Each structure stands twice: as C-alpha cells, then as structure tokens.
Amino acid sequence: MAVTLLAGLVLAGCAGDAEPGATGAPEATSGESGTAGGSVEWRIALNQTADHPITVSVQGMADRVNELTEGRVDIEVFPNESLGAQAEALQLVADGTIELAIISGPQLENMNTDFLVFNLPLVFDDIDHQMSVVNDDEIVGDLYASLEDRNVSVLGAYTAGDRNIYTTDKPIVTPADTAGLKIRVQESETHLKMIELMGGSPTPMAFGEVYTALQSGVLDGAENNEVSYVSQRHVEVAPYFSYTRHLIVPDYLVASTSSLDELSAEDRAIFDEEFLASVEEQVALWATATDEAIAAMEEAGVEFSDVDTSLFADAIAPLVDSSLTSDNARAIYDATRAAAA
C-alpha cells in the first residue's frame, strides 16, 4: 500500500487520541509464518489515517525493510482501524494473529501499570525530551520487555504531540478557569483525576462524538494536540486554545514476540535500524503538520492563550505522587526527569 503525506490539513482523524471507536472490521487472517525459505509476511495495524505522520513513517519503514531484506520481510500497512480498534489490535498481536500494531499508552498501562509513568501529566518537558527517553534502552529496556511473557514486545515509540485545553466560551489561563467546565478526556483514571485536580469536570467520551458535544453544549471543552483540533474540526466550535501542555504522549510500536523470533539476526538488525529512522522521520513530519495546523487556527481566528504551566503543574502534582506506587515506576519517572536536565 503506497501512503503519501497529503498537503494541507486533512491529517489524522484520531491523531493523539488513545481510544478509537469500534469499527466492526472483519477479523484479520493469520499471515504466512515464512520460516521456510527465510521470509515472512507481516501486517501492522494503526488507528491513524493514511496521511497521518505516523502512518507515513511506518509505510516508509515497511518499504525500506522490504527492499533491504530483498523481500524476506514484507510488511503491509493497515491504517484507519481496518484490522480493529487499538484494544482489538493489541489482542491480535498477543494472539499472534497479526504481527505489529501502533498502540497508545493507556492500552499498555492496562497490561503493566508501570507504563502509567509516560501517561502522567508534565512528565516530559517537550517532544525532544520525550523522544530521548522512550527509545532509550537504558531507561525503558526492562519496561518494554515486561510484556514478552504475554507475547507482546514493545519496540519503541513515536510522538503523539502535546495536549492542550480548548474551550467553547472562554479561555483557560489558570486552573481556576476550568471550575465547573465539562472537559472531555480519554477513558483513563489518570486523565479523569488530572482534570478534577485542575478544578474541572472530566467527561469521558468517544472521540468521534466530541464535535457534536462541543457544538451542542454537552461539553465546554476538550484537550488534544493542534493537529487533531484542526483535522477533527473542533476549531469550528471551540475557538479558545490554551497552551497548557499538560500531556505529551507516546504511541508505541508493538510486535508479536513469536514473530520477531522468526527473523534472522541480519533481518532483525535491518528492521530495528529502519524503525529508528522512521521515528526521526515521524518527528519531523509531526512538526510540519503542527505548523500547518497552527496556521489554519490563526486563519480561523482562534484565540490563543500562553499560560503559566507551573500553575497547572502545581495543581496536578498530587496525581504524580499518588500514581507512582511501585519502585519500578518511581525509578522510571526519576530517570525520565533526570534526562530533561
């Protein structure tokens, strides 16, 4: 499948969102093991659209791996939840029915609560800090290997950008401004508590329902990155965008451990190298997509607010402390914060 990055802002239905809706897609069929003759046919499932920066980067990785292995590793890319929503795709990987998937942090947190560290607010200072941590084997090696007994290998992560609060009727400048406001959040206990500590009323809701809820007044606001804000047309109904930067979240590349074991040492090295190259490409594409989104926001007349993020950090500090309940989680958090220095 050839995937190209479309110009302008038709990016990304589910960019940066952790919980896509169910699609009713047909069950994926098992691919050929390919051990005879040394070749494999793999599929990778994504919830992102075909022109999303992660999908474009994954397609580039797949093409290069196919070429460099002389066809021994053939990866087909399935965007748009065509193999199922993220929870379904993760289960298909664990079952060995498909080989690869892009999965959000809350999904992995359900398998090992220590993944919660990277879903906490303000754990990363910026995207550069995030990328320096989530693909650093010294920090994440043991965490990423912790799911292998369930046939899931976490290979690394892409960025899903930083998340900010946007509202329908007034700007958010301090946490007190969220008082009484119904703010859509993902279905994560961490995110519910985060908005509560800011003073707002967290409202879990399927991503595809947010536009209508903002338009009708069911919601007073939501939180996401600029790309999703524009591509999902929330810019039309919530014209106040506040740079709270409370979350910078990763999307992970996961693989069936048994499928990885089928690769020769040479082909595994090629795969790993091209994955890291795709991360660099995705970060650059994300920056471009974000710049395009900001330009569209300016053209639409959005009111931007640059806030004192320390006020939000102080408000949600109890969440960070109460969430780090294991020695491993505390060690990962401390290493992550040290990497920002």
Side-chain angles (χ1 to χ4, degrees):
M1 175 188 302
V3 179
T4 57
L5 181 65
L6 300 182
L9 288 160
V10 291
L11 291 169
C14 297
D17 217 68
E19 72 300 341
T23 62
E27 181 179 353
T29 56
S30 180
E32 299 176 9
S33 68
T35 51
S39 64
V40 294
E41 294 181 4
W42 283 3
R43 286 136 308 158
I44 179 167
L46 302 90
N47 76 333
Q48 290 85 357
T49 55
D51 53 348
H52 186 277
I54 290 180
T55 312
V56 174
S57 300
V58 165
Q59 183 65 57
M61 174 188 72
D63 293 342
R64 293 191 301 273
V65 167
N66 182 278
E67 178 181 358
L68 292 170
T69 63
E70 299 179 339
R72 293 187 301 275
V73 182
D74 183 12
I75 304 171
E76 188 171 0
V77 179
F78 291 86
N80 294 313
E81 298 183 348
S82 56
L83 296 183
Q86 285 194 359
E88 297 167 324
L90 181 57
Q91 187 61 55
L92 290 171
V93 168
D95 292 343
T97 305
I98 65 173
E99 295 76 26
L100 299 164
I102 300 296
I103 300 296
S104 65
Q107 298 293 338
L108 297 186
E109 184 182 327
N110 291 334
M111 299 184 74
N112 178 353
T113 56
D114 288 344
F115 278 94
L116 172 146
V117 172
F118 298 145
N119 301 329
L120 288 173
L122 303 173
V123 65
F124 300 116
D125 288 358
D126 52 35
I127 290 174
D128 287 341
H129 175 210
Q130 179 194 41
M131 290 294 97
S132 74
V133 169
V134 296
N135 293 311
D136 182 341
D137 189 62
E138 290 189 8
I139 297 176
V140 301
D142 290 342
L143 177 66
Y144 285 6
S146 67
L147 307 181
E148 291 179 354
D149 62 346
R150 282 174 275 182
N151 199 40
V152 175
S153 294
V154 182
L155 302 180
Y158 300 97
T159 188
D162 55 24
R163 299 177 77 98
N164 305 280
I165 294 177
Y166 48 91
T167 47
T168 57
D169 295 326
K170 68 174 186 177
I172 302 300
V173 179
T174 71
D177 294 328
T178 68
L181 298 187
K182 299 183 293 294
I183 307 295
R184 183 267 178 180
V185 295
Q186 300 171 70
E187 294 186 13
S188 159
E189 190 64 29
T190 300
H191 296 174
L192 289 166
K193 291 179 180 177
M194 175 185 67
I195 296 298
E196 286 176 351
L197 287 169
M198 290 183 190
S201 177
T203 307
M205 182 177 294
F207 192 46
E209 299 173 5
V210 175
Y211 179 93
T212 300
L214 289 168
Q215 186 181 47
S216 65
V218 172
L219 289 175
D220 301 303
E223 51 87 47
N224 217 312
N225 56 66
E226 297 96 333
V227 175
S228 291
Y229 174 65
V230 172
S231 67
Q232 294 300 295
R233 298 169 46 224
H234 297 173
V235 62
E236 299 174 0
V237 289
Y240 299 96
F241 193 94
S242 300
Y243 276 109
T244 52
R245 295 188 173 92
H246 51 275
L247 289 172
I248 304 177
V249 293
D251 278 331
Y252 298 92
L253 175 64
V254 302
S256 165
T257 305
S258 57
S259 296
L260 288 176
D261 290 343
E262 296 176 354
L263 298 184
S264 67
E266 177 187 4
D267 289 347
R268 176 64 190 269
I270 291 171
F271 178 84
D272 289 345
E273 182 176 353
E274 295 310 319
F275 163 65
L276 291 176
S278 75
V279 170
E280 292 185 10
E281 178 185 17
Q282 188 265 336
V283 170
L285 290 172
W286 186 262
T288 298
T290 300
D291 288 344
E292 292 176 348
I294 292 171
M297 292 160 68
E298 292 172 343
E299 184 176 352
V302 168
E303 181 177 323
F304 296 89
S305 296
D306 286 314
V307 309
D308 182 351
T309 57
S310 68
L311 298 177
F312 291 84
D314 290 344
I316 59 184
L319 173 59
V320 174
D321 292 336
S322 65
S323 298
L324 300 174
T325 57
S326 74
D327 291 341
N328 284 338
R330 173 60 70 176
I332 295 167
Y333 180 85
D334 289 345
T336 298
R337 293 308 308 153

